[in-house]
């Protein structure tokens, strides 16, 4: 690895040019163990580039010092920052509009479920900066205004603590209003705290609970969900990690409930007894119980700080 230093007015900035095989193997394994993300050889430059920013932020001289820091027992803040640097957060309001059209079609049955005294639970399992769970909440409220007074909750989680905090604020650039769903977004938003921003209304924010959660770690909440959105997540995983996650998700969906996945993703055929296709990227949970040996969390990723029980 070559280290270049560029002198500025008040500080020196380090950039990484290349990365040794040993460094790449060690760091990509650390990323995989922690997040499940597989970094192929083609991602070496991306990894080096993003870690250069972390090294500059920490004021370290080189990658060797950074690796030494990550190995310390008290390195959790730096490991969290590494996770944030590596994960990709691409999202928008009503991304994949067919999923929200399908969700809208489910609202009457969810409303009837609520009238029978049953709770309604939905999960945005990789919420990023929050546009997905906000879109879920807007869809519910648009077709079921009383949802805000019913026992309806949306759990929104992400591995990246920084984007979870951003999502919790519910403040967005007003340019995100542009698009086919502009009228809906305007209906459920107001002027934001800064010029050029919007903020989703309390009725939307009140339906959503944001928490940091590593999908590969323990899930410290009980109960199951009527709908789970887990989109554009497993495309970064290896086959084994992906299969475990599909099984764990299926085990948390109520019979008759739904799993929505990314448009470039497909659920493994091994889940055919448990998840029936209801569209190219929508699957309905059957009543078949999942065997325990398929749901055991035999994973090495660490969980986030979320310890509260979902009720």
């Amino acid at each position: 690895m070559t280290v270049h230093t560029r002198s500025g007015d008040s500080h020196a900035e380090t950039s990484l040019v290349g990365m040794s095989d040993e460094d790449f193997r060690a760091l990509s394994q650390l990323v995989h163990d922690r997040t499940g993300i597989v970094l192929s050889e083609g991602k070496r430059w991306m990894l080096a580039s993003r870690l250069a920013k972390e090294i500059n932020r920490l004021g370290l001289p080189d990658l060797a010092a950074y690796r030494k820091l990550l190995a310390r027992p008290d390195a959790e803040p730096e490991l969290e920052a590494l996770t944030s640097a590596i994960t990709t957060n691409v999202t928008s309001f009503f991304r994949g509009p067919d999923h929200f059209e399908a969700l809208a079609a489910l609202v009457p049955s969810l409303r009837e479920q609520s009238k029978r005294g049953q709770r309604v639970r939905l999960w945005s399992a990789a919420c990023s900066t929050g546009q997905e769970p906000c879109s879920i909440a807007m869809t519910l409220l648009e077709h079921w205004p009383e949802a805000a007074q019913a026992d309806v909750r949306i759990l929104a989680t992400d591995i990246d603590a920084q984007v979870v905090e951003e999502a919790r604020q519910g403040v967005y650039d007003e340019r995100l209003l542009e698009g086919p769903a502009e009228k809906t977004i305007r209906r459920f938003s107001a002027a934001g705290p800064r010029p050029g921003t919007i903020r989703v209304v309390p009725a939307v924010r009140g339906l959503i609970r944001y928490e940091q959660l590593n999908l590969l770690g323990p899930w410290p909440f009980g109960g199951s969900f009527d709908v789970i959105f887990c989109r554009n997540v497993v495309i970064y995983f290896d086959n084994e990690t992906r299969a475990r996650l599909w099984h764990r998700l299926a085990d948390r969906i109520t019979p008759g409930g739904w799993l929505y996945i990314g448009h470039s993703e497909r659920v493994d055929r091994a889940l055919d007894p448990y998840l029936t296709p209801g569209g190219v990227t929508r699957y309905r949970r059957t009543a078949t119980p999942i065997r325990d040996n398929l749901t055991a969390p035999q994973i090495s990723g660490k969980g986030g700080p979320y310890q509260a029980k979902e009720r």
Side-chain angles (χ1 to χ4, degrees), residues 18-265:
M19 177 181 286
S20 72
D21 290 344
E22 178 186 354
D23 287 334
F24 180 68
R25 282 194 299 268
L27 288 165
S28 60
Q29 186 63 52
L30 175 61
V31 169
H32 179 267
D33 290 345
R34 188 170 178 83
T35 70
I37 295 173
V38 176
L39 295 175
S40 64
E41 177 63 32
K43 298 293 185 180
R44 185 188 293 229
W45 173 250
M46 180 275 288
L47 180 62
S49 175
R50 295 188 183 182
L51 293 189
K53 296 177 182 178
E54 285 301 298
I55 289 172
N56 289 326
R57 182 183 65 83
L58 294 166
L60 297 174
D62 52 32
L63 189 55
Y66 180 64
R67 285 184 57 189
K68 186 176 181 180
L69 176 63
L70 293 180
R72 289 171 44 173
D74 60 348
E76 187 59 28
E78 286 70 36
L79 290 167
E80 289 285 351
L82 170 63
T83 298
S84 182
I86 294 301
T87 50
T88 301
N89 295 297
V90 178
T91 187
S92 61
F93 287 108
F94 294 94
R95 185 184 186 192
D98 56 308
H99 283 163
F100 295 98
E101 293 169 4
L103 178 61
L106 289 178
V107 169
S109 64
L110 296 176
R111 184 171 56 238
E112 290 302 313
Q113 177 177 318
S114 177
K115 288 181 179 178
R116 295 193 298 269
Q118 298 173 314
R119 70 180 199 169
V120 175
R121 294 292 183 268
L122 306 93
W123 182 11
S124 171
C127 70
S128 186
T129 48
Q131 287 95 318
E132 180 178 272
C134 285
S135 300
I136 294 172
M138 291 176 187
T139 300
L140 293 178
L141 291 169
E142 188 169 39
H143 298 275
W144 181 13
E146 301 80 17
Q149 288 76 50
D151 189 3
V152 179
R153 297 292 182 271
I154 301 164
L155 176 63
T157 65
D158 199 278
I159 191 174
D160 187 339
Q162 294 181 25
V163 300
V164 169
E165 183 54 37
E166 184 176 342
R168 192 175 281 122
Q169 303 307 312
V171 177
Y172 301 100
D173 191 308
E174 66 179 3
R175 288 174 294 184
L176 295 178
L177 288 169
E178 301 173 359
E182 178 179 352
K183 290 183 178 179
T184 301
I185 302 170
R186 284 191 182 278
R187 179 183 173 192
F188 292 105
S189 63
R194 300 177 298 278
T197 65
I198 60 171
R199 187 171 193 175
V200 295
V201 298
V204 170
R205 300 199 309 273
L207 289 179
I208 306 169
R209 178 178 184 172
Y210 290 102
E211 300 290 350
Q212 182 191 7
L213 180 74
N214 186 340
L215 289 175
L216 302 190
W219 295 353
F221 46 82
S224 56
F225 297 87
D226 302 290
V227 176
I228 295 178
F229 279 65
C230 187
R231 305 189 300 172
N232 306 306
V233 174
V234 303
I235 54 175
Y236 301 106
F237 295 167
D238 58 32
N239 292 339
E240 184 179 4
T241 304
R242 182 182 67 237
R244 290 196 191 111
L245 180 57
W246 286 145
H247 282 96
R248 295 182 78 194
L249 289 171
D251 195 40
R252 288 303 186 101
I253 302 173
T254 58
W258 290 85
L259 171 66
Y260 295 178
I261 67 175
H263 285 84
S264 63
E265 300 169 333

Side-chain angles (χ1 to χ4, degrees), residues 270-282:
L271 272 88
D272 284 355
Y274 317 116
L275 293 171
T276 301
V280 176
T281 53
R282 290 182 286 123

Side-chain angles (χ1 to χ4, degrees), residues 6-13:
R6 298 192 296 274
S7 297
D9 294 337
S10 60
H11 67 281
E13 182 176 334

